[in-house]
Amino acid sequence: MGDLNLWPSDQNHSLVTSKFHDPLGKALTPFTYKANRYGNPRNARIDFIMGNEQAVVTNLDTIHTYASDHYPVIANVALDFSTFSMMHYTINHGANAAGAYNLSAIENEIRNSGADIISLNQVDINFSSRSDYDDQIDLLATRLGMKRSFHATLDKEPDAGSNGKRRKFGQAFLSKFPIESIDDGTQLRWIYTAGATTSTPQGLFGAVININGARTRFYVTSLSTDSISRLQQAYEAKERIAADPLPVKMLSGNLSDIPGSIPLNILQPVFSDAFAGMGSLAFNYPSGTPAKTINYILYSGMLQMQQASVRTSQASTHRPIVTTIKLQ
């Protein structure tokens, strides 16, 4: 809020309102400037109060007093610290639908979604030339200004291109909210025993994210494309998550199976599906012309799903999915 010295019709107003909501939009009134006692016309709205999704500004108006050459601006503000948005994205180590590596496209998709918490599958750290030996989670977190936490499901010796660094592949969280430290025992890293000896073992990664004081457990996982291993992994995930004492939990990931399949039914007593009943509107794979749902955001506890959507991006072989959630 303040005297921004710009009109609502200016380009700079559009830049500001890309991040903050102006309840009056492009309206030039009520005038806020040249409200002085010498008879000059009130001819500009250059004083503003704006809010983001956690601070909804309404009923903005001016108070007609000549104590300054600006009118004071007053508004109602409704603070909401219980609503957040979450994205799950299987990023295919940064390769798009055409097979070209472009991590910046993944970054832009996350940024443009506005999501507060992002779970990621298929993330590379110094892995190989397929991803330019990038530390993808470090690059994404730095560029997006988010906290991060990573779980390696595959950890390999350095090679000639990794500059002595271990080569890792796995899953991760990005968050605008604090991710509680691994040292306090609130994070869980698990490699499934089913399929553990294959070239691409799968795992379950849990972290506590503090959403404005509400400690909430988030899990991300990827299940095997092999049907037998996938079934056993679903049982392992259910057992470990059911033992979690925190009452509010979310599970997201590439579960490699469709709604109503046995692995999804195994998880169903613990979780509900944020995209339940959406049918083909929830299709998210492959990204070019989605034909099925294999990426999910599931929830348990005092959570209310307010909106769920699939973004039409081909920056990966999977489309990202986004939900808006309210903590009850």
Side-chain angles (χ1 to χ4, degrees):
M1 48 193 163
D3 171 9
L4 302 188
N5 277 316
L6 55 86
W7 284 41
S9 55
D10 293 347
Q11 180 181 4
N12 285 336
H13 180 270
S14 297
L15 292 175
V16 175
T17 55
S18 68
K19 296 295 184 183
F20 292 91
H21 175 67
D22 182 350
L24 298 179
K26 295 293 186 181
L28 299 176
T29 57
F31 296 132
T32 67
Y33 183 56
K34 289 295 184 183
N36 64 30
R37 69 187 69 188
Y38 302 112
N40 293 332
R42 301 185 301 276
N43 61 5
R45 182 166 79 92
I46 62 173
D47 304 271
F48 299 87
I49 301 176
M50 304 185 191
N52 65 2
E53 61 269 22
Q54 278 80 40
V56 179
V57 179
T58 58
N59 301 326
L60 193 146
D61 207 344
T62 57
I63 300 174
H64 291 187
T65 176
Y66 299 115
S68 166
D69 59 350
H70 294 248
Y71 278 163
V73 181
I74 189 167
N76 292 338
V77 182
L79 298 177
D80 181 2
F81 297 119
S82 62
T83 301
F84 65 96
S85 57
M86 180 178 182
M87 168 189 275
H88 174 72
Y89 205 175
T90 299
I91 67 169
N92 190 39
H93 52 79
N96 63 22
Y101 179 58
N102 187 353
L103 189 64
S104 293
I106 300 291
E107 171 197 340
N108 290 334
E109 186 62 34
I110 294 172
R111 178 183 289 106
N112 293 338
S113 76
D116 300 304
I117 298 168
I118 302 95
S119 59
L120 300 171
N121 284 140
Q122 300 181 2
V123 181
D124 278 358
I125 293 182
N126 312 314
F127 193 78
S128 73
S129 58
R130 72 182 185 184
S131 50
D132 290 346
Y133 288 95
D134 283 341
D135 184 336
Q136 293 184 324
I137 193 63
D138 181 69
L139 287 172
L140 289 172
T142 300
R143 293 172 182 174
L144 294 165
M146 290 184 168
K147 287 81 173 173
R148 98 292 297 271
S149 193
F150 174 81
H151 171 223
T153 55
L154 189 61
D155 189 340
K156 304 180 75 172
E157 295 290 336
D159 69 9
S162 68
N163 293 319
K165 299 176 181 177
R166 294 193 66 84
R167 300 180 297 123
K168 299 179 182 181
F169 172 78
Q171 48 208 358
F173 289 107
L174 294 168
S175 176
K176 296 177 183 177
F177 302 109
I179 302 175
E180 295 192 4
S181 169
I182 190 171
D183 297 332
D184 67 4
T186 58
Q187 292 195 16
L188 178 150
R189 300 165 188 261
W190 176 254
I191 301 296
Y192 294 121
T193 58
T197 60
T198 64
S199 60
T200 54
Q202 310 293 334
L204 177 70
F205 179 33
V208 170
I209 298 179
N210 193 317
I211 304 171
N212 300 314
R215 298 176 71 248
T216 305
R217 177 82 76 182
F218 289 82
Y219 291 93
V220 60
T221 192
S222 180
L223 300 186
S224 176
T225 56
D226 172 71
S227 60
I228 296 176
S229 294
R230 182 165 64 249
L231 182 64
Q232 294 172 335
Q233 290 168 359
Y235 277 116
E236 289 187 54
K238 177 185 176 182
E239 290 176 2
R240 299 192 73 83
I241 293 170
D244 187 340
L246 282 183
V248 182
K249 297 185 275 280
M250 297 193 69
L251 170 65
S252 55
N254 173 13
L255 303 186
S256 299
D257 221 330
I258 62 174
S261 62
I262 295 176
L264 268 296
N265 289 339
I266 289 169
L267 295 168
Q268 206 65 40
V270 180
F271 288 106
S272 298
D273 183 356
F275 291 79
M278 290 181 59
S280 61
L281 294 177
F283 286 180
N284 50 58
Y285 182 82
S287 62
T289 304
K292 58 184 175 180
T293 297
I294 61 172
N295 294 277
Y296 296 85
I297 295 176
L298 310 177
Y299 64 98
S300 176
M302 299 298 289
L303 295 169
Q304 178 186 354
M305 293 296 123
Q306 297 188 326
Q307 187 175 356
S309 62
V310 179
R311 294 179 64 85
T312 58
S313 171
Q314 295 185 46
S316 167
T317 50
H318 300 245
R319 290 190 175 185
I321 58 176
V322 182
T323 56
T324 302
I325 304 150
K326 187 176 182 65
L327 287 161
Q328 298 291 84

